[in-house]
Amino acid sequence: MHELQFSRDFFASTAKLSIEEGGRVMNFIQKLQENLAHPSISLERITESRSEDLWSGRISRELRAILHRQGDQVTLLHAGHHDD
């Protein structure tokens, strides 16, 4: 089992999204809590980062989440449009 945490910046980033997009974020969080390997969230390591613990997850076709994974602890850092 993994522990899910949220940064303050995560909530600030989701506040900028539409209500519909916010619902997609909630669905992503639910899937993430249930199964980190859920195929629809498509977690991928961010290779351009200095940290090996930064990951990107697919919320929807347009939206991505940035998260930090260290052991069983997962911290959601940001949610926003893919091109942001």
Side-chain angles (χ1 to χ4, degrees):
M1 187 56 126
H2 57 276
E3 179 183 346
L4 190 59
Q5 298 180 343
F6 303 88
S7 72
R8 285 187 215 149
D9 290 338
F10 179 78
F11 292 115
S13 67
T14 59
K16 297 175 185 176
L17 301 174
S18 71
I19 293 171
E20 182 180 329
E21 292 169 332
R24 289 184 180 135
V25 171
M26 294 305 295
N27 287 336
F28 172 82
I29 291 169
Q30 182 178 9
K31 290 176 185 175
L32 189 64
Q33 285 178 317
E34 293 170 0
N35 179 7
L36 285 174
H38 194 287
S40 71
I41 61 176
S42 186
L43 287 182
E44 297 178 3
R45 188 181 307 269
I46 299 175
T47 57
E48 296 87 28
S49 172
R50 285 186 241 161
S51 171
E52 294 182 5
D53 300 327
L54 286 181
W55 294 72
S56 172
R58 181 178 51 221
I59 297 171
S60 70
R61 186 171 185 193
E62 308 86 26
L63 299 172
R64 296 293 182 271
I66 305 300
L67 50 103
H68 182 266
R69 289 179 64 182
Q70 191 168 29
D72 290 337
Q73 185 175 346
V74 176
T75 305
L76 286 160
L77 304 174
H78 179 83
H81 291 269
H82 189 271
D83 293 337
D84 292 350

Coordinates of all heavy atoms in Angstrom, one line a residue:
M1 N 0.8 -1.2 0.0 CA 0.0 0.0 0.0 C 0.9 1.2 0.0 O 2.0 1.2 0.6 CB -0.9 0.0 1.2 CG -1.9 1.1 1.3 SD -3.0 1.0 -0.2 CE -4.6 1.0 0.5
H2 N 0.4 2.3 -0.6 CA 1.2 3.5 -0.7 C 0.5 4.7 0.0 O -0.7 4.6 0.1 CB 1.5 3.9 -2.2 CG 0.3 4.0 -3.0 ND1 -0.3 2.9 -3.6 CD2 -0.4 5.1 -3.4 CE1 -1.3 3.3 -4.3 NE2 -1.4 4.6 -4.2
E3 N 1.3 5.6 0.4 CA 0.7 6.8 1.1 C 0.6 7.9 0.1 O 1.6 8.2 -0.6 CB 1.7 7.2 2.2 CG 1.2 8.4 3.0 CD 2.2 8.8 4.1 OE1 3.1 8.0 4.4 OE2 2.1 9.9 4.6
L4 N -0.5 8.6 0.0 CA -0.7 9.7 -1.0 C -0.8 11.0 -0.2 O -1.6 11.1 0.7 CB -2.0 9.4 -1.8 CG -2.3 10.3 -3.0 CD1 -1.2 10.3 -4.0 CD2 -3.6 10.0 -3.6
Q5 N 0.0 12.0 -0.6 CA 0.0 13.3 0.0 C -0.1 14.3 -1.1 O 0.0 14.0 -2.3 CB 1.3 13.5 0.7 CG 1.6 12.6 1.8 CD 2.9 12.9 2.6 OE1 3.7 13.5 2.1 NE2 3.0 12.3 3.8
F6 N -0.5 15.6 -0.7 CA -0.7 16.7 -1.7 C 0.1 17.9 -1.2 O 0.1 18.3 -0.1 CB -2.2 17.0 -1.7 CG -3.1 15.9 -2.1 CD1 -3.6 15.0 -1.1 CD2 -3.4 15.7 -3.4 CE1 -4.4 14.0 -1.4 CE2 -4.2 14.6 -3.7 CZ -4.7 13.7 -2.7
S7 N 0.8 18.5 -2.2 CA 1.5 19.7 -1.9 C 0.5 20.9 -2.0 O -0.6 20.8 -2.6 CB 2.6 20.0 -2.9 OG 2.1 20.3 -4.1
R8 N 0.8 22.0 -1.4 CA 0.0 23.2 -1.5 C -0.1 23.7 -2.9 O -1.1 24.1 -3.4 CB 0.5 24.3 -0.6 CG 0.3 24.1 0.9 CD 0.7 25.3 1.6 NE 1.2 24.9 2.9 CZ 2.2 25.5 3.6 NH1 2.7 26.6 3.2 NH2 2.6 25.0 4.7
D9 N 1.0 23.5 -3.6 CA 1.0 23.9 -5.0 C 0.1 23.1 -5.9 O -0.5 23.6 -6.9 CB 2.4 23.8 -5.6 CG 3.4 24.8 -5.1 OD1 2.9 25.9 -4.6 OD2 4.6 24.6 -5.1
F10 N -0.1 21.8 -5.5 CA -1.1 21.0 -6.2 C -2.5 21.6 -6.2 O -3.2 21.7 -7.2 CB -1.1 19.6 -5.7 CG -2.1 18.7 -6.4 CD1 -1.8 18.2 -7.6 CD2 -3.3 18.4 -5.8 CE1 -2.7 17.3 -8.3 CE2 -4.2 17.6 -6.5 CZ -3.9 17.0 -7.7
F11 N -2.9 22.0 -5.0 CA -4.2 22.6 -4.8 C -4.3 23.9 -5.5 O -5.4 24.3 -6.1 CB -4.6 22.7 -3.4 CG -4.8 21.4 -2.7 CD1 -4.0 21.0 -1.7 CD2 -5.8 20.5 -3.1 CE1 -4.2 19.7 -1.1 CE2 -6.0 19.3 -2.5 CZ -5.2 18.9 -1.5
A12 N -3.3 24.7 -5.5 CA -3.3 26.0 -6.3 C -3.4 25.7 -7.8 O -4.1 26.5 -8.5 CB -2.0 26.8 -5.9
S13 N -2.7 24.7 -8.3 CA -2.8 24.4 -9.7 C -4.2 23.9 -10.1 O -4.7 24.3 -11.2 CB -1.7 23.4 -10.1 OG -1.9 22.2 -9.6
T14 N -4.8 23.1 -9.3 CA -6.1 22.6 -9.6 C -7.2 23.7 -9.5 O -8.2 23.6 -10.2 CB -6.5 21.4 -8.7 OG1 -6.5 21.8 -7.4 CG2 -5.6 20.2 -8.9
A15 N -7.0 24.7 -8.7 CA -7.9 25.8 -8.6 C -8.0 26.6 -9.9 O -9.0 27.2 -10.2 CB -7.5 26.7 -7.5
K16 N -7.0 26.5 -10.8 CA -7.0 27.2 -12.0 C -7.7 26.4 -13.2 O -7.9 26.9 -14.2 CB -5.6 27.4 -12.5 CG -4.8 28.3 -11.5 CD -3.4 28.5 -12.0 CE -2.6 29.3 -10.9 NZ -1.2 29.3 -11.3
L17 N -8.2 25.2 -12.9 CA -8.8 24.4 -13.9 C -10.3 24.6 -13.9 O -10.9 25.0 -12.9 CB -8.5 22.9 -13.6 CG -7.0 22.5 -13.6 CD1 -6.8 21.0 -13.2 CD2 -6.4 22.7 -15.0
S18 N -11.0 24.2 -14.9 CA -12.4 24.2 -15.0 C -13.0 23.2 -14.1 O -12.3 22.3 -13.6 CB -12.9 24.0 -16.4 OG -12.7 22.6 -16.8
I19 N -14.3 23.3 -13.8 CA -15.0 22.3 -13.0 C -14.9 20.9 -13.6 O -14.6 19.9 -12.9 CB -16.5 22.7 -12.7 CG1 -16.5 24.0 -11.9 CG2 -17.3 21.6 -12.1 CD1 -17.9 24.6 -11.8
E20 N -15.1 20.8 -14.9 CA -15.0 19.5 -15.6 C -13.6 19.0 -15.4 O -13.4 17.8 -15.2 CB -15.3 19.7 -17.0 CG -15.3 18.4 -17.8 CD -15.7 18.6 -19.3 OE1 -16.4 19.5 -19.6 OE2 -15.1 17.9 -20.1
E21 N -12.6 19.8 -15.6 CA -11.2 19.3 -15.5 C -10.9 18.9 -14.0 O -10.2 17.9 -13.8 CB -10.2 20.4 -15.9 CG -10.2 20.7 -17.4 CD -9.5 21.9 -17.8 OE1 -9.4 22.9 -17.0 OE2 -9.0 22.0 -19.0
G22 N -11.5 19.6 -13.1 CA -11.3 19.3 -11.7 C -11.9 17.9 -11.4 O -11.3 17.1 -10.6
G23 N -13.0 17.6 -12.0 CA -13.6 16.2 -11.9 C -12.6 15.2 -12.4 O -12.5 14.1 -11.9
R24 N -12.0 15.5 -13.5 CA -11.0 14.5 -14.1 C -9.8 14.3 -13.1 O -9.3 13.2 -13.0 CB -10.5 15.0 -15.4 CG -11.6 14.9 -16.5 CD -11.0 15.3 -17.9 NE -12.1 15.2 -18.8 CZ -12.3 16.1 -19.8 NH1 -11.6 17.2 -19.9 NH2 -13.3 15.9 -20.6
V25 N -9.4 15.4 -12.5 CA -8.3 15.3 -11.5 C -8.8 14.4 -10.3 O -8.0 13.5 -9.9 CB -7.9 16.7 -10.9 CG1 -7.0 16.5 -9.8 CG2 -7.3 17.5 -12.0
M26 N -10.0 14.5 -9.9 CA -10.5 13.6 -8.8 C -10.5 12.2 -9.2 O -10.2 11.3 -8.5 CB -11.9 14.1 -8.4 CG -11.9 15.5 -7.7 SD -10.8 15.6 -6.3 CE -11.5 14.5 -5.2
N27 N -10.9 11.9 -10.5 CA -10.9 10.5 -11.0 C -9.5 10.0 -11.0 O -9.2 8.8 -10.7 CB -11.5 10.5 -12.4 CG -13.0 10.6 -12.4 OD1 -13.7 10.3 -11.4 ND2 -13.6 11.1 -13.5
F28 N -8.5 10.8 -11.5 CA -7.1 10.4 -11.5 C -6.6 10.1 -10.1 O -6.0 9.1 -9.9 CB -6.3 11.6 -12.1 CG -4.8 11.4 -12.0 CD1 -4.1 10.6 -12.9 CD2 -4.1 12.0 -10.9 CE1 -2.8 10.4 -12.8 CE2 -2.7 11.8 -10.8 CZ -2.1 11.0 -11.8
I29 N -7.0 10.9 -9.1 CA -6.6 10.7 -7.7 C -7.1 9.3 -7.2 O -6.4 8.5 -6.6 CB -7.0 11.8 -6.8 CG1 -6.2 13.1 -7.1 CG2 -6.8 11.4 -5.3 CD1 -6.7 14.3 -6.5
Q30 N -8.4 9.1 -7.5 CA -9.0 7.8 -7.1 C -8.3 6.6 -7.7 O -7.9 5.6 -7.0 CB -10.5 7.8 -7.5 CG -11.2 6.5 -7.0 CD -12.6 6.5 -7.4 OE1 -13.1 7.4 -8.1 NE2 -13.4 5.6 -6.9
K31 N -8.0 6.7 -9.0 CA -7.3 5.6 -9.7 C -5.8 5.4 -9.1 O -5.4 4.3 -8.9 CB -7.2 5.8 -11.2 CG -8.5 5.7 -11.9 CD -8.4 6.0 -13.3 CE -9.8 6.0 -14.0 NZ -9.7 6.5 -15.4
L32 N -5.2 6.6 -8.8 CA -3.9 6.5 -8.3 C -3.8 5.9 -6.9 O -3.0 5.1 -6.6 CB -3.3 8.0 -8.2 CG -1.9 8.2 -7.8 CD1 -1.0 7.6 -8.9 CD2 -1.6 9.7 -7.6
Q33 N -4.9 6.2 -6.1 CA -5.0 5.6 -4.8 C -5.2 4.1 -4.9 O -4.6 3.3 -4.1 CB -6.1 6.2 -4.0 CG -5.8 7.6 -3.5 CD -6.9 8.2 -2.7 OE1 -8.1 8.1 -3.1 NE2 -6.6 8.8 -1.6
E34 N -6.0 3.6 -5.8 CA -6.3 2.2 -6.0 C -5.1 1.4 -6.5 O -4.9 0.3 -6.1 CB -7.5 2.1 -6.9 CG -8.8 2.6 -6.3 CD -10.0 2.7 -7.3 OE1 -9.8 2.3 -8.4 OE2 -11.0 3.1 -6.8
N35 N -4.4 2.0 -7.5 CA -3.4 1.2 -8.2 C -2.4 2.1 -8.9 O -2.8 2.7 -10.0 CB -4.1 0.3 -9.2 CG -3.1 -0.6 -10.0 OD1 -1.9 -0.6 -9.7 ND2 -3.7 -1.3 -10.9
L36 N -1.2 2.3 -8.5 CA -0.2 3.1 -9.1 C 0.1 2.6 -10.5 O 0.5 3.4 -11.4 CB 1.1 3.1 -8.3 CG 1.1 3.9 -7.1 CD1 2.5 3.7 -6.3 CD2 0.9 5.4 -7.4
A37 N -0.2 1.4 -10.8 CA 0.1 0.8 -12.2 C -1.2 0.8 -13.1 O -1.1 0.2 -14.1 CB 0.6 -0.6 -12.0
H38 N -2.2 1.5 -12.6 CA -3.4 1.6 -13.5 C -3.1 2.1 -14.9 O -2.4 3.1 -15.0 CB -4.5 2.5 -12.8 CG -5.8 2.3 -13.4 ND1 -6.2 2.8 -14.6 CD2 -6.9 1.7 -12.9 CE1 -7.4 2.5 -14.9 NE2 -7.9 1.9 -13.8
P39 N -3.4 1.3 -15.9 CA -3.0 1.7 -17.3 C -3.5 3.0 -17.7 O -2.8 3.7 -18.5 CB -3.6 0.6 -18.1 CG -4.5 -0.2 -17.3 CD -4.2 0.1 -15.9
S40 N -4.6 3.5 -17.3 CA -5.1 4.8 -17.8 C -4.4 6.0 -17.2 O -4.4 7.1 -17.8 CB -6.6 4.9 -17.4 OG -6.8 5.2 -16.1
I41 N -3.6 5.8 -16.2 CA -2.9 7.0 -15.6 C -1.4 7.1 -16.2 O -0.8 8.1 -16.1 CB -2.8 7.0 -14.1 CG1 -2.2 5.8 -13.5 CG2 -4.2 7.2 -13.5 CD1 -2.0 5.9 -12.0
S42 N -1.0 6.0 -16.8 CA 0.3 6.0 -17.6 C 1.4 6.8 -16.9 O 1.9 7.8 -17.4 CB 0.0 6.6 -19.0 OG 1.1 6.5 -19.8
L43 N 1.8 6.4 -15.7 CA 2.9 7.0 -15.0 C 4.2 6.8 -15.8 O 4.6 5.7 -16.2 CB 3.1 6.5 -13.6 CG 2.0 6.9 -12.6 CD1 2.3 6.3 -11.3 CD2 1.9 8.4 -12.5
E44 N 4.9 7.9 -16.0 CA 6.2 7.9 -16.6 C 7.2 8.7 -15.9 O 6.9 9.9 -15.5 CB 6.1 8.4 -18.1 CG 5.2 7.6 -19.0 CD 5.1 8.2 -20.3 OE1 5.8 9.3 -20.6 OE2 4.3 7.7 -21.1
R45 N 8.4 8.2 -15.7 CA 9.5 9.0 -15.0 C 9.9 10.2 -15.9 O 9.9 10.1 -17.1 CB 10.7 8.1 -14.8 CG 11.8 8.8 -14.0 CD 13.0 7.8 -13.8 NE 12.7 6.5 -13.3 CZ 12.6 6.2 -12.1 NH1 12.9 7.0 -11.1 NH2 12.3 4.9 -11.7
I46 N 10.1 11.3 -15.3 CA 10.5 12.5 -16.0 C 12.0 12.5 -16.1 O 12.7 12.7 -15.1 CB 10.0 13.8 -15.3 CG1 8.5 13.8 -15.2 CG2 10.6 15.1 -16.0 CD1 7.9 15.0 -14.4
T47 N 12.5 12.2 -17.3 CA 13.9 11.9 -17.4 C 14.8 13.2 -17.5 O 16.0 13.1 -17.2 CB 14.2 11.1 -18.7 OG1 13.6 11.8 -19.8 CG2 13.5 9.7 -18.6
E48 N 14.2 14.3 -17.8 CA 14.9 15.6 -17.9 C 15.2 16.2 -16.5 O 15.8 17.2 -16.4 CB 14.2 16.6 -18.7 CG 14.0 16.2 -20.2 CD 12.8 15.4 -20.4 OE1 11.8 15.5 -19.6 OE2 12.8 14.6 -21.3
S49 N 14.6 15.6 -15.4 CA 14.7 16.1 -14.1 C 16.0 15.6 -13.4 O 16.5 14.6 -13.7 CB 13.5 15.7 -13.3 OG 13.7 16.0 -11.9
R50 N 16.5 16.5 -12.5 CA 17.7 16.0 -11.7 C 17.4 14.9 -10.8 O 18.2 14.2 -10.4 CB 18.3 17.2 -11.0 CG 19.0 18.2 -11.9 CD 19.7 19.3 -11.1 NE 19.1 20.5 -11.5 CZ 19.2 21.6 -10.8 NH1 19.8 21.7 -9.7 NH2 18.6 22.7 -11.3
S51 N 16.1 14.9 -10.4 CA 15.6 13.9 -9.4 C 15.1 12.7 -10.2 O 14.3 12.9 -11.1 CB 14.5 14.5 -8.5 OG 13.9 13.5 -7.7
E52 N 15.4 11.5 -9.7 CA 14.9 10.3 -10.3 C 13.5 10.0 -9.8 O 12.9 9.0 -10.2 CB 15.8 9.1 -10.1 CG 17.1 9.3 -10.8 CD 18.0 8.1 -10.6 OE1 17.6 7.1 -10.0 OE2 19.2 8.1 -11.1
D53 N 13.0 10.8 -8.8 CA 11.7 10.5 -8.2 C 10.6 11.3 -8.7 O 9.5 11.3 -8.2 CB 11.9 10.8 -6.7 CG 13.0 9.9 -6.0 OD1 13.1 8.8 -6.4 OD2 13.6 10.4 -5.1
L54 N 10.8 12.1 -9.8 CA 9.7 12.9 -10.4 C 9.0 12.1 -11.5 O 9.7 11.6 -12.4 CB 10.2 14.2 -10.9 CG 10.5 15.3 -9.8 CD1 11.0 16.6 -10.5 CD2 9.3 15.6 -8.9
W55 N 7.7 12.1 -11.5 CA 6.9 11.3 -12.4 C 5.8 12.2 -13.0 O 5.4 13.1 -12.4 CB 6.3 10.1 -11.8 CG 7.3 9.1 -11.3 CD1 8.2 9.2 -10.3 CD2 7.6 7.8 -11.9 NE1 9.0 8.1 -10.1 CE2 8.6 7.2 -11.1 CE3 7.1 7.2 -13.0 CZ2 9.1 6.0 -11.4 CZ3 7.5 5.9 -13.3 CH2 8.6 5.3 -12.5
S56 N 5.4 11.8 -14.2 CA 4.2 12.5 -14.8 C 3.1 11.4 -15.0 O 3.4 10.3 -15.3 CB 4.6 13.0 -16.2 OG 3.5 13.4 -17.0
G57 N 1.9 11.8 -14.7 CA 0.8 10.9 -14.9 C -0.3 11.6 -15.8 O -0.5 12.8 -15.7
R58 N -1.0 10.7 -16.5 CA -2.0 11.2 -17.5 C -3.4 11.3 -16.7 O -3.9 10.3 -16.3 CB -2.1 10.3 -18.7 CG -3.2 10.8 -19.7 CD -3.3 9.9 -20.9 NE -3.4 8.5 -20.5 CZ -2.8 7.5 -21.2 NH1 -2.0 7.8 -22.1 NH2 -3.0 6.3 -20.8
I59 N -3.8 12.6 -16.6 CA -5.2 12.8 -16.0 C -6.2 12.6 -17.2 O -7.2 12.0 -17.0 CB -5.3 14.2 -15.4 CG1 -4.3 14.3 -14.2 CG2 -6.7 14.5 -15.0 CD1 -4.1 15.7 -13.7
S60 N -5.9 13.3 -18.3 CA -6.8 13.2 -19.5 C -5.8 13.4 -20.7 O -4.6 13.6 -20.5 CB -7.9 14.2 -19.5 OG -7.4 15.5 -19.6
R61 N -6.4 13.5 -21.9 CA -5.6 13.7 -23.0 C -4.9 15.1 -22.9 O -3.7 15.2 -23.4 CB -6.5 13.7 -24.3 CG -5.7 13.8 -25.5 CD -6.6 13.6 -26.7 NE -5.7 13.6 -27.9 CZ -6.1 13.7 -29.1 NH1 -7.4 13.7 -29.3 NH2 -5.3 13.7 -30.1
E62 N -5.5 16.1 -22.3 CA -5.0 17.4 -22.2 C -4.3 17.7 -20.9 O -3.5 18.6 -20.8 CB -6.1 18.5 -22.3 CG -7.0 18.3 -23.6 CD -8.1 17.4 -23.3 OE1 -8.6 17.2 -22.2 OE2 -8.6 16.8 -24.3
L63 N -4.6 16.9 -19.9 CA -4.1 17.3 -18.5 C -3.1 16.2 -18.0 O -3.2 15.0 -18.3 CB -5.2 17.3 -17.5 CG -6.3 18.3 -17.8 CD1 -7.5 18.1 -16.8 CD2 -5.8 19.7 -17.6
R64 N -2.1 16.7 -17.3 CA -1.0 15.9 -16.7 C -0.9 16.3 -15.2 O -1.1 17.4 -14.8 CB 0.3 16.0 -17.4 CG 0.3 15.6 -18.8 CD 0.2 14.1 -18.9 NE 0.2 13.6 -20.3 CZ -0.8 13.5 -21.1 NH1 -2.0 13.9 -20.8 NH2 -0.6 13.0 -22.4
A65 N -0.4 15.3 -14.4 CA -0.1 15.5 -13.0 C 1.4 15.3 -12.9 O 2.0 14.4 -13.5 CB -0.9 14.6 -12.1
I66 N 2.0 16.1 -12.1 CA 3.5 15.9 -11.7 C 3.5 15.4 -10.3 O 2.8 16.0 -9.4 CB 4.3 17.2 -11.8 CG1 4.1 17.8 -13.2 CG2 5.7 16.9 -11.5 CD1 4.6 16.8 -14.4
L67 N 4.2 14.3 -10.0 CA 4.2 13.8 -8.7 C 5.6 13.3 -8.3 O 6.5 13.1 -9.2 CB 3.2 12.6 -8.5 CG 3.2 11.5 -9.6 CD1 3.8 10.3 -9.0 CD2 1.8 11.2 -9.9
H68 N 5.8 13.2 -7.0 CA 7.1 12.8 -6.5 C 6.9 11.4 -5.8 O 6.0 11.3 -5.0 CB 7.6 13.8 -5.4 CG 8.9 13.4 -4.8 ND1 9.1 12.7 -3.7 CD2 10.2 13.7 -5.3 CE1 10.3 12.6 -3.4 NE2 11.0 13.1 -4.4
R69 N 7.6 10.4 -6.2 CA 7.5 9.0 -5.7 C 8.8 8.7 -5.0 O 9.9 8.7 -5.6 CB 7.3 8.0 -6.8 CG 5.9 8.1 -7.4 CD 5.8 7.0 -8.5 NE 5.9 5.7 -8.0 CZ 5.8 4.6 -8.8 NH1 5.7 4.7 -10.1 NH2 5.9 3.4 -8.2
Q70 N 8.7 8.3 -3.7 CA 9.8 7.9 -3.0 C 9.4 6.7 -2.1 O 8.6 7.0 -1.1 CB 10.4 9.0 -2.2 CG 11.8 8.7 -1.6 CD 12.5 9.9 -1.1 OE1 11.9 10.9 -0.6 NE2 13.8 9.9 -1.1
G71 N 9.8 5.5 -2.4 CA 9.3 4.4 -1.6 C 7.8 4.3 -1.8 O 7.3 4.3 -2.9
D72 N 7.1 4.1 -0.7 CA 5.7 4.0 -0.7 C 5.0 5.3 -0.6 O 3.7 5.4 -0.5 CB 5.2 3.1 0.5 CG 5.6 1.7 0.3 OD1 5.8 1.2 -0.8 OD2 5.7 1.0 1.4
Q73 N 5.7 6.4 -0.6 CA 5.1 7.7 -0.4 C 5.0 8.4 -1.8 O 6.0 8.5 -2.6 CB 5.9 8.6 0.5 CG 5.3 10.0 0.7 CD 6.1 10.8 1.8 OE1 7.0 10.2 2.5 NE2 5.9 12.0 1.8
V74 N 3.8 8.9 -2.1 CA 3.6 9.6 -3.4 C 3.0 11.0 -3.0 O 2.0 11.1 -2.3 CB 2.6 8.8 -4.3 CG1 2.2 9.6 -5.5 CG2 3.1 7.5 -4.6
T75 N 3.6 12.0 -3.5 CA 3.2 13.4 -3.3 C 2.8 14.0 -4.6 O 3.6 14.1 -5.5 CB 4.2 14.3 -2.6 OG1 4.7 13.6 -1.4 CG2 3.7 15.6 -2.3
L76 N 1.5 14.4 -4.7 CA 1.1 15.1 -5.9 C 1.5 16.6 -5.9 O 1.3 17.3 -4.9 CB -0.4 15.1 -6.1 CG -0.9 13.7 -6.5 CD1 -2.4 13.5 -6.1 CD2 -0.7 13.5 -8.0
L77 N 2.2 17.1 -6.9 CA 2.9 18.4 -6.9 C 2.1 19.4 -7.7 O 2.0 20.6 -7.4 CB 4.3 18.3 -7.4 CG 5.2 17.3 -6.6 CD1 6.6 17.2 -7.3 CD2 5.4 17.8 -5.2
H78 N 1.6 18.9 -8.9 CA 1.0 19.9 -9.8 C 0.0 19.2 -10.8 O 0.3 18.0 -11.1 CB 2.1 20.5 -10.7 CG 1.6 21.5 -11.7 ND1 1.3 22.8 -11.4 CD2 1.3 21.4 -13.0 CE1 0.9 23.4 -12.5 NE2 0.9 22.6 -13.5
A79 N -1.0 19.9 -11.2 CA -1.9 19.4 -12.2 C -2.2 20.5 -13.2 O -2.4 21.6 -12.8 CB -3.2 18.9 -11.6
G80 N -2.1 20.2 -14.5 CA -2.3 21.3 -15.4 C -2.3 20.7 -16.9 O -2.2 19.5 -17.1
H81 N -2.4 21.7 -17.8 CA -2.5 21.3 -19.2 C -1.1 20.8 -19.6 O -0.1 21.3 -19.2 CB -2.9 22.5 -20.0 CG -4.4 22.8 -19.8 ND1 -5.4 22.3 -20.5 CD2 -5.0 23.6 -18.8 CE1 -6.5 22.7 -20.0 NE2 -6.3 23.5 -19.0
H82 N -1.1 19.8 -20.5 CA 0.1 19.1 -21.0 C 1.1 20.1 -21.4 O 2.3 19.9 -21.1 CB -0.3 18.2 -22.1 CG 0.8 17.3 -22.5 ND1 1.7 17.6 -23.5 CD2 1.2 16.1 -22.0 CE1 2.6 16.6 -23.6 NE2 2.3 15.7 -22.7
D83 N 0.8 21.2 -22.2 CA 1.8 22.1 -22.7 C 2.3 23.1 -21.7 O 3.3 23.8 -21.9 CB 1.2 22.9 -23.9 CG 0.9 21.9 -25.1 OD1 1.6 20.9 -25.1 OD2 0.1 22.3 -25.9
D84 N 1.6 23.2 -20.5 CA 2.1 24.0 -19.4 C 3.4 23.5 -18.9 O 4.2 23.9 -18.2 CB 1.1 24.2 -18.3 CG -0.1 24.9 -18.8 OD1 -0.1 25.5 -19.9 OD2 -1.1 24.9 -18.0

